[in-house]
Amino acid sequence: MDVQTATILTCATSRYHSRFLSGSPRPRGRNLHQVLLLLSVKRERMLCRKDVVQWSSWGLLLIALGYFVRQKKSHTPYGRYVVHHEGDRMVPAKLAWFIQELPSFLVPMLLVVRAEESSAVGRVLLLCTFCLHYFQRTFIYALWVRGQPCPVYIVISAIVFCTCNGFFQGYNLLYCAQYERAWLADVRLWAGLILFYVGMAINIHSDKVLRNLRTPGDFSYKIPRGGLFEYVSGANFFGEIIEWFGYALATWSMPAFSFAIFTLCSIGPRAYHHHRFYQQNFKNYPTSRKSLIPFIF
């Protein structure tokens, strides 16, 4: 407790007892105990633990590598790769996407509300990139998606990851990242933001193309056409990967780069599997299309 707070408490206590001894009625509203609590409670600033941030970043990179190796051997069982067994607990697609994406938006927003002293640039970057993406995924994409139910354990795993990563990214940008005024004129910031918004536009447009291939209740698969789907089978994945590498460039931070690489390792192989799926199930599938990167792969 600092001197100023102690002085306020002393004055408040003395005034209360003076009124009591003089026979004056007690003040209405808050009692003395509530007043003292309100005066004495001070919100402590969360401190940056750079060692924790660095180790967490390396940990996420190791998880990304392990996930990449795993997906070379098997598919993650959601979407078209779900194998239904009797007794399996499933979550409807709309609800699954909503509850698993929500922590990535909600946790950073709670950190923003709680943060009294934080990097102003970091706050803006967090709100205009990471939170913007997950607002769209949680409150727009989740309501429009048309897909198969998802296994409960996949949803729970996604909730855990999104909660941890949401805190990780928010904590770093609000409490650890240090940006000088010169960063506002840095080419990395603006190039990263351009990449992010271009990638987000590709991702949203590609999701719309896929959604329009189906009517409600239809789980069949068709050849997507239009936009970047004329060049790659995983246009939606390509857009999201561009988004997160743009985010990493704009924030120029290890946590952001580790998340971008995790995204590449998690949905990059999925784009390849989708490409093989289309080739195996559609004889007229365009031979000029690549899996993920136009004209290259």
Side-chain angles (χ1 to χ4, degrees):
M1 185 184 300
D2 56 27
V3 175
Q4 182 180 8
T5 304
T7 305
I8 294 173
L9 285 172
T10 303
C11 292
T13 306
S14 300
R15 183 176 300 177
Y16 185 91
H17 282 294
S18 297
R19 282 195 170 193
F20 179 77
L21 293 173
S22 64
S24 302
R26 292 186 182 184
R28 294 181 180 180
R30 298 188 179 98
N31 58 32
L32 175 63
H33 178 67
Q34 292 173 318
V35 172
L36 296 182
L37 283 176
L38 288 172
L39 290 172
S40 62
V41 171
K42 295 183 67 179
R43 181 180 296 174
E44 294 193 11
R45 183 177 184 272
M46 191 178 293
L47 300 177
C48 173
R49 290 289 304 275
K50 291 187 178 181
D51 55 337
V52 174
V53 169
Q54 291 300 317
W55 281 111
S56 298
S57 299
W58 285 109
L60 185 55
L61 288 174
L62 289 175
I63 293 172
L65 179 61
Y67 196 24
F68 178 79
V69 172
R70 179 185 179 276
Q71 288 204 103
K72 290 184 66 177
K73 300 178 180 179
S74 62
H75 305 295
T76 302
Y78 70 91
R80 69 190 66 190
Y81 305 114
V82 171
V83 178
H84 295 278
H85 299 289
E86 187 176 351
D88 285 352
R89 295 188 175 184
M90 309 294 286
V91 182
K94 293 181 188 295
L95 179 60
W97 279 103
F98 177 79
I99 61 178
Q100 71 187 27
E101 301 286 88
L102 181 60
S104 287
F105 172 76
L106 188 59
V107 173
M109 289 302 297
L110 290 175
L111 287 176
V112 169
V113 171
R114 186 186 186 281
E116 290 186 336
E117 299 178 19
S118 61
S119 166
V121 176
R123 183 189 296 255
V124 172
L125 283 174
L126 180 65
L127 291 172
C128 294
T129 55
F130 192 87
C131 290
L132 177 64
H133 171 88
Y134 281 106
F135 176 86
Q136 193 275 333
R137 298 293 286 184
T138 303
F139 299 104
I140 300 175
Y141 174 79
L143 298 179
W144 289 350
V145 67
R146 297 169 183 168
Q148 299 191 46
C150 187
V152 169
Y153 75 93
I154 292 292
V155 176
I156 293 174
S157 299
I159 291 172
V160 172
F161 175 81
C162 288
T163 301
C164 295
N165 188 56
F167 178 84
F168 183 40
Q169 301 298 327
Y171 173 79
N172 174 65
L173 286 179
L174 292 173
Y175 295 104
C176 295
Q178 299 293 325
Y179 298 102
E180 303 294 337
R181 292 186 63 86
W183 184 251
L184 297 176
D186 197 291
V187 66
R188 290 169 292 180
L189 171 65
W190 296 104
L193 289 176
I194 290 171
L195 277 177
F196 178 86
Y197 292 118
V198 168
M200 188 173 185
I202 293 171
N203 182 243
I204 292 174
H205 177 264
S206 301
D207 284 337
K208 181 180 179 182
V209 170
L210 293 174
R211 186 171 61 252
N212 290 339
L213 292 175
R214 292 174 172 171
T215 56
D218 177 18
F219 295 140
S220 63
Y221 290 93
K222 304 175 182 67
I223 299 175
R225 300 186 185 279
L228 276 181
F229 279 115
E230 297 298 326
Y231 303 96
V232 293
S233 298
N236 51 330
F237 300 133
F238 177 68
E240 187 163 354
I241 290 169
I242 287 179
E243 265 190 90
W244 294 125
F245 274 96
Y247 164 73
L249 184 60
T251 59
W252 202 252
S253 65
M254 185 66 176
F257 276 105
S258 62
F259 179 49
I261 292 172
F262 176 86
T263 303
L264 175 62
C265 291
S266 61
I267 63 178
R270 198 166 177 85
Y272 173 75
H273 293 318
H274 279 21
H275 187 66
R276 294 292 301 274
F277 173 87
Y278 287 125
Q279 289 177 327
Q280 293 168 3
N281 289 275
F282 298 97
K283 293 182 179 180
N284 61 333
Y285 195 70
T287 57
S288 60
R289 286 192 195 180
K290 299 298 182 180
S291 299
L292 181 64
I293 305 173
F295 311 112
I296 298 174
F297 172 72

